[in-house]
Amino acid sequence: MEFIFACAMFVAFGLILLCTLIIMTVAFPKIREIEKIISAATLNPSTGRNLWGGDPFGRLVRTTQVFSFLAMRNLPGHFRRAASKIGNVNADVSQYLFLWAFIPTLGLFSFGGIALWVSLIIS
């Protein structure tokens, strides 16, 4: 049984690495496009860029911010208000860009959760 969990950890960490590499290379130019589209007139569009920059950690933070915006903007109440602080909730983001921002980040979080869950079971 421990061998199965160890294999699951190995696969989860491999998929985490794959999702991270996709975010860092292929998906990030699309994330930048989404940042430009959702920049509200009242918000400084370069805040995330200036604060976090374009290094690997900054790219992950900016990607997570765009992911949370896309996830929260269609939810009612508090979530929509929180998304409006990030950007324009009425901005038209194409399905193509949405998928490039959402799928790799969702995979990163999902496989991270699986790795955490399996590590808790093993210990």
Side-chain angles (χ1 to χ4, degrees):
M1 194 62 149
E2 286 184 18
F3 177 74
I4 293 171
F5 286 135
C7 289
M9 285 287 288
F10 182 73
V11 169
F13 281 125
L15 292 171
I16 289 170
L17 181 61
L18 178 66
C19 288
T20 304
L21 289 174
I22 289 171
I23 289 170
M24 295 293 167
T25 57
V26 180
F28 195 71
K30 286 124 178 99
I31 300 292
R32 274 194 240 135
E33 284 183 49
I34 294 173
E35 283 179 331
K36 288 178 187 174
I37 292 170
I38 67 172
S39 295
T42 58
L43 298 174
N44 183 358
S46 62
T47 302
R49 281 183 291 237
N50 289 339
L51 184 61
W52 299 109
D55 63 336
F57 180 74
R59 285 182 177 208
L60 282 176
V61 171
R62 288 168 61 187
T63 301
T64 303
Q65 185 177 18
V66 169
F67 173 82
S68 63
F69 170 81
L70 293 173
M72 292 187 305
R73 75 179 184 159
N74 293 321
L75 297 174
H78 169 74
F79 296 106
R80 189 165 173 88
R81 285 191 303 273
S84 69
K85 292 179 182 177
I86 297 172
N88 181 4
V89 294
N90 298 319
D92 186 30
V93 178
S94 70
Q95 191 72 14
Y96 173 76
L97 291 175
F98 174 84
L99 291 175
W100 271 108
F102 208 79
I103 300 293
T105 312
L106 182 63
L108 179 69
F109 291 148
S110 299
F111 298 128
I114 290 170
L116 179 63
W117 180 73
V118 170
S119 68
L120 290 174
I121 290 175
I122 290 174
S123 64

